Amino acid sequence: MKERISKLQTELKQAKLDALLINTPENRRYMTGFTGTAGTVLVSQEEAILITDFRYTQQAKQQAPDYRVVEFKNSKLDKINELLTELKVETLGFEATYENYNTYLNFKEKLDVELKPTESLVKKLRMVKSAEEIKKIRKAVEIADDAFTMIRDFLKVGVIERDVALELEFFMKRAGASDNAFDFIVASGERSALPHGVASDKRIAAGDFVTMDFGCVYEGYHSDMTRTVIVGAEPSNKHKEIYETVLKAQLESIKAIKAGMTGKEVDQIARDIITEAGFGDYFGHGLGHAVGLEIHEGPRLSPKGDTVLEAGMVVTVEPGIYLPNWGGVRIEDIVVVTEDGCEILTKSPKELIVIEN
C-alpha cells in the first residue's frame, strides 16, 4: 500500500490539498487493504491514518500495516478534528460524489479546516490495475466461465428465468465467490430486448433467445460476462443475422483495443458495424466499462469516453442489438488492455449455441 499512499500524496500536492478524507468503501479498501465495514482514511501529504472503532482496531492493524491506526470512542468527527490539528491541516478534501449534504454540514460544523470537494482522486488511481488485482479479477472471471458451462446443461424449454439466475448464484458461491456482482439479467424471448431485463417468472419457450448477464465477486473484485443462446429450436435467419452482427462488432472492437486509444474510439468501431448492418438505432448503450472493486468503474467505452486507455486497465466489451417486441442479443467479455492490444480474460465460447431439449 505504500506505493498507493505515495501516489495519492502526489495527487494531493497537485490539487493543493493538505489532506484527503476517504469514506467510500471501495476507495478505503483500495488504499488500505482493510475489509471492515467501519473506518475512515485520512491521508495527508506526510502521513496515512486509518480511524476506526473498538470492533475493528485489531483487524485494521493486521490488514493495514502501512497506516497508523487510531481508535475513536465517542465522536469520530471529534477524533478526526484532533488529528487535523495535530497534522496542521488547513485545506481538507472530501469525496463529493460519496458524502451527502447532511454529512457535509457536519464536517463544516465540527472540522476546523477549509473543506474542498474532490471528484475522483482515488478512483483515478484505481483505473490501472496491479498484477495482484488482475489475478483476483481473473479468478472471478474463471468462476463465471465455469458457471456458464454448468448452466448450459440446466437450460431447457419450460425453465423459469429466475431459476436460471438462482442456479448461477448457487454455483458461483459454491465455487468461492463471496457475492453476486449485480442483479443477474436472465431475459428470454421478447424480454431479451430489455438490456437490463432482470430475471423474472417467465418460462423459457422453444425458439427463445436467452440473454444471461452475470458475474461474481472474488476477494472484492468483480467479473461480468454476457452470453446469448437459443433454446429448443434451430435459429431463424433473423436470429443468425442479429447474432452474427453483434459478434462481429464485439470481435472487431476487441481486436482494435490497445493502450493509447480512447474509449470513444473503441466504441465507434462496434457502433459503425452495427449501424452499417441497419441496427444502429437498437444499440443504445455504451460498448463497455471498467471493472474492479466496483462493477462499473472508469474508464468507459462509450460515445463520451474521452479517457485514453492505458496498459493494465480492465474493461468489458459488450455490444448489443435489442429489437422491441422481438428479442435481442448481447455478447460480453472482460479484457485487460496491453501496450499493443489486449488479453481476453473471458474464455466461454461465443459462437451461437443452440440448447437442444
Side-chain angles (χ1 to χ4, degrees):
M1 298 300 165
K2 288 182 179 178
E3 183 180 359
R4 294 177 185 179
I5 294 169
S6 178
K7 286 182 178 179
L8 180 57
Q9 288 171 331
T10 298
E11 293 289 332
L12 294 181
K13 291 172 185 175
Q14 292 176 350
K16 295 183 171 54
L17 294 171
D18 295 327
L20 176 67
L21 206 59
I22 301 169
N23 279 311
T24 303
E26 296 82 8
N27 288 347
R28 179 178 64 220
R29 181 168 183 168
Y30 178 81
M31 288 302 305
T32 66
F34 174 61
T35 60
T37 57
T40 295
V41 179
L42 177 63
V43 177
S44 73
Q45 292 188 17
E46 291 80 29
E47 194 166 356
I49 301 170
L50 175 56
I51 305 148
T52 190
D53 60 44
F54 173 80
R55 297 170 298 165
Y56 294 107
T57 302
Q58 292 305 312
Q59 179 182 345
K61 288 178 178 179
Q62 292 171 359
Q63 293 183 324
D66 296 322
Y67 282 74
R68 171 160 52 122
V69 175
V70 174
E71 181 181 317
F72 74 92
K73 297 187 183 302
N74 296 312
S75 168
K76 181 164 67 171
L77 281 181
D78 285 346
K79 177 58 70 174
I80 290 171
N81 202 43
E82 287 179 25
L83 293 167
L84 294 173
T85 301
E86 173 195 327
L87 297 172
K88 297 181 172 57
V89 171
E90 296 181 358
T91 57
L92 177 67
F94 68 95
E95 299 172 307
T97 55
Y98 179 77
E99 309 292 5
N100 62 35
Y101 185 62
N102 284 337
T103 301
Y104 167 74
L105 292 179
N106 286 332
F107 286 170
K108 199 170 182 181
E109 178 185 354
K110 298 286 184 68
L111 305 180
D112 298 325
V113 292
E114 179 186 359
L115 292 167
K116 289 192 174 182
T118 66
E119 290 297 326
S120 55
L121 290 180
V122 178
K123 286 190 174 184
K124 178 181 175 183
L125 300 180
R126 284 169 48 195
M127 283 187 180
V128 176
K129 271 54 178 182
S130 67
E132 183 61 26
E133 289 181 288
I134 293 172
K135 181 179 177 181
K136 292 174 182 178
I137 295 170
R138 192 186 301 276
K139 179 61 177 178
V141 172
E142 179 184 312
I143 292 171
D145 270 331
D146 289 343
F148 178 65
T149 299
M150 175 279 300
I151 207 67
R152 286 157 57 182
D153 291 330
F154 180 80
L155 288 170
K156 61 181 178 180
V157 172
V159 167
I160 296 170
E161 291 175 353
R162 199 183 306 278
D163 288 341
V164 175
L166 286 171
E167 288 294 318
L168 288 167
E169 177 178 356
F170 294 157
F171 179 92
M172 289 191 288
K173 287 184 175 177
R174 284 193 296 263
S178 61
D179 203 355
N180 298 340
F182 48 87
D183 287 339
F184 297 163
I185 294 164
V186 181
S188 60
E190 291 185 5
R191 293 191 73 254
S192 62
L194 303 174
H196 279 187
V198 175
S200 73
D201 290 327
K202 178 187 177 299
R203 292 184 182 275
I204 296 172
D208 276 356
F209 262 149
V210 182
T211 296
M212 296 167 289
D213 187 345
F214 58 96
C216 69
V217 181
Y218 179 79
E219 294 189 7
Y221 286 81
H222 293 70
S223 60
D224 188 1
M225 68 174 287
T226 307
R227 290 294 185 268
T228 302
V229 301
I230 193 164
V231 176
E234 288 298 315
S236 66
N237 289 335
K238 188 172 183 179
H239 284 112
K240 292 177 182 177
E241 179 187 15
I242 301 298
Y243 194 94
E244 288 169 6
T245 300
V246 173
L247 181 58
K248 180 181 178 183
Q250 208 242 11
L251 293 173
E252 290 300 316
S253 51
I254 287 176
K255 184 178 177 181
I257 289 177
K258 63 180 178 180
M261 296 187 73
T262 64
K264 181 188 300 185
E265 288 171 336
V266 182
D267 177 275
Q268 194 63 52
I269 292 167
R271 203 162 298 279
D272 284 347
I273 290 170
I274 291 174
T275 299
E276 287 168 9
F279 301 107
D281 291 340
Y282 304 105
F283 176 29
H285 57 73
L287 179 63
H289 56 86
V291 296
L293 286 167
E294 294 176 273
I295 188 59
H296 292 108
E297 299 187 352
R300 302 285 178 133
L301 308 184
S302 78
K304 296 181 179 180
D306 293 325
T307 301
V308 177
L309 300 181
E310 299 178 43
M313 290 180 170
V314 181
V315 297
T316 68
V317 184
E318 47 181 303
I321 295 174
Y322 313 93
L323 302 181
N325 304 313
W326 186 80
V329 172
R330 181 164 65 255
I331 304 169
E332 175 185 20
D333 291 337
I334 287 181
V335 307
V336 181
V337 179
T338 63
E339 290 294 345
D340 56 0
C342 70
E343 178 191 358
I344 306 171
L345 299 187
T346 313
K347 304 301 183 186
S348 296
K350 288 187 282 194
E351 70 274 6
L352 179 55
I353 294 172
V354 178
I355 307 293
E356 298 179 354
N357 284 268

